[in-house]
Amino acid sequence: QVQLVESGGGLVQAGGSLRLSCAASGRHFTSYVMGWFRQAPGKGREFVAAINGKGDSTDYADSMNGRFTISRDNAKNTVYLQMNSLKPEDTAVYYCNARNTGWGLTYDYWGQGTQVTVSS
């Protein structure tokens, strides 16, 4: 069981930066792959980035083009998304995700979402 609490969203000008944070509950944080997804108005939820439990392997959607960096601090049970060179197209609700795998099954836990708005 995982509870996720996000912070760091807000309004930023195009070309600016934001860092999102997601604090996870529980004692098994290092066992979870953590990720970020986003959903723009009228669009489906899309994958942004993911990081493995040890924090030594990451995966990004091609559309991020190196502008975003995911990281985690397992001592703080927190995952981050550093967003640079933001574009208006990045405007969306960003969701934190924790993926727990075991026994041949996958369980996904989601944060409440945080709004990121990029002005032109």
Side-chain angles (χ1 to χ4, degrees), residues 39-57:
Q39 187 166 15
K43 304 292 181 63
R45 186 172 297 186
E46 67 172 339
F47 170 75
V48 175
I51 187 167
N52 71 339
K54 294 183 178 180
D56 59 1
S57 181

